[in-house]
Amino acid sequence: MGIRRRTPGKPESSLLPPGEPVGMETGLRILSYLASGLILYGGLGWLGDKFLGTAFLLPIGLIIGLVLAMFVIIRRYNPDPGDKPTK
């Protein structure tokens, strides 16, 4: 059983799905998930507020967009405990 050395500042690439980008690409992809969730659901909340004459749908849409984006990020980048790392 060998010791796996890890380079400081670099993510453990064996924990990511095969073909998944590492480093700056991963960070930008996570940022785009967060931004798109906020823009999409915040926009839907803003439209709902505009057409229904309310003032509470925009904050609700922003919160829902953020929560769903975080759910997608966690599901995509958190490996299952039963998965074996690929070599």
Side-chain angles (χ1 to χ4, degrees):
M1 185 175 204
I3 297 174
R4 190 181 295 168
R5 296 196 185 267
R6 185 170 176 213
T7 308
K10 296 209 175 200
E12 182 67 46
S13 61
S14 65
L15 297 177
L16 295 175
E20 190 68 33
V22 179
M24 173 101 64
E25 295 89 8
T26 303
L28 289 175
R29 184 172 290 175
I30 289 172
L31 182 63
S32 69
Y33 283 141
L34 290 172
S36 63
L38 288 172
I39 291 169
L40 177 69
Y41 288 99
L44 289 174
W46 176 77
L47 284 174
D49 278 341
K50 183 176 179 176
F51 288 116
L52 297 175
T54 61
F56 64 89
L57 293 177
L58 174 62
I60 289 174
L62 290 173
I63 291 170
I64 290 172
L66 186 63
V67 168
L68 289 177
M70 292 300 296
F71 176 75
V72 168
I73 291 167
I74 290 170
R75 291 284 294 178
R76 182 169 182 99
Y77 292 103
N78 191 18
D80 289 333
D83 287 349
K84 293 182 181 178
T86 58
K87 293 182 180 183

